[in-house]
Amino acid sequence: LALLLVAGTFGIQKQIGFMQDQVSDLQLGEVAWVAVRSDHFNDPTEGRQQLATLQQELQRSSAVAEASVSSVVPGRYAIGRTFRQPGEDEAYVMRTATVDAAYFDAYDLQLTAGHGFEAATEAERAAGVVVNQATMQAMGWDTLDGKVLFGGAEGGAPHPVIGVVEDFHFKSLREPIEPAVHFYAGADATAYRYVSVR
């Protein structure tokens, strides 16, 4: 029994070490999130406005480093869409998220190339995307210069790639990190499902 306990302790220690190594770039212990949707309110339009107000009020608090609204949070990137490169027929399925300008700061995620939505122009916010490093690898890209993803089938909308965020586990640690594409929407967007607070 003592040998089993010792072996179990070492096993758990190795698992904890593995978890810490894998998610060291994602300090989830510093972030609280709550699922809140505009359709939880009697009037969805008013609900969107109240979510935007909630975010602004949270950001004013001295106890809050950053507050963000988004369609997903790490661990819940469930929806995938197809994208393709210009001049290619092959489609790639990538996880997608709709985020505000504070999302990457809220989760302390670093941009490794380009810039995020906080420094984006209005045109970049309207059509541009921020991808993860796994997307760069899947596409075979070394730089962002002139890179564009087209959504869906032939004739889909072009999305200039404006930034690259570091890879992080947005699903189970048992699964490899997949390509992910982040879109921008304003604070009162209909797509938002979560409020995250660092």
Side-chain angles (χ1 to χ4, degrees):
L1 183 60
L3 286 173
L4 285 174
L5 287 171
V6 170
T9 300
F10 278 115
I12 292 170
Q13 187 176 26
K14 286 184 70 175
Q15 286 295 312
I16 291 173
F18 171 76
M19 292 279 289
Q20 290 173 335
D21 289 342
Q22 292 295 311
V23 299
S24 59
D25 59 339
L26 196 57
Q27 304 297 328
L28 295 180
E30 300 176 2
V31 181
W33 59 259
V34 62
V36 182
R37 302 200 317 242
S38 59
D39 58 7
H40 286 168
F41 298 84
N42 291 331
D43 180 353
T45 301
E46 181 183 346
R48 290 195 298 273
Q49 294 170 349
Q50 290 188 19
L51 286 178
T53 301
L54 172 62
Q55 181 190 16
Q56 293 167 4
E57 291 299 321
L58 286 168
Q59 288 173 329
R60 290 193 183 116
S61 170
S62 60
V64 173
E66 195 62 75
S68 169
V69 285
S70 57
S71 64
V72 297
V73 292
R76 299 190 175 224
Y77 278 57
I79 305 225
R81 287 175 49 187
T82 57
F83 296 88
R84 59 183 181 79
Q85 298 189 64
E88 291 190 6
D89 294 330
E90 183 178 0
Y92 300 83
V93 177
M94 302 182 188
R95 302 294 170 177
T96 60
T98 302
V99 303
D100 68 354
Y103 182 77
F104 300 121
D105 286 339
Y107 284 94
D108 198 25
L109 294 168
Q110 305 303 309
L111 275 291
T112 62
H115 56 266
F117 296 117
E118 77 287 346
T121 65
E122 287 302 315
E124 288 175 331
R125 288 184 172 190
V129 293
V130 173
V131 301
N132 64 349
Q133 293 169 312
T135 301
M136 297 289 288
Q137 185 176 3
M139 297 292 102
W141 295 342
D142 294 323
T143 69
L144 285 184
D145 296 340
K147 298 301 187 292
V148 177
L149 287 174
F150 283 86
E154 188 72 31
H159 300 289
V161 180
I162 66 169
V164 180
V165 67
E166 63 182 332
D167 279 341
F168 62 97
H169 283 276
F170 50 78
K171 294 176 65 183
S172 167
L173 288 177
R174 296 179 181 179
E175 301 179 45
I177 297 175
E178 300 176 27
V181 180
H182 300 84
F183 294 87
Y184 172 82
D188 61 349
T190 58
Y192 291 144
R193 299 291 183 267
Y194 299 93
V195 177
S196 301
V197 181
R198 173 176 289 280

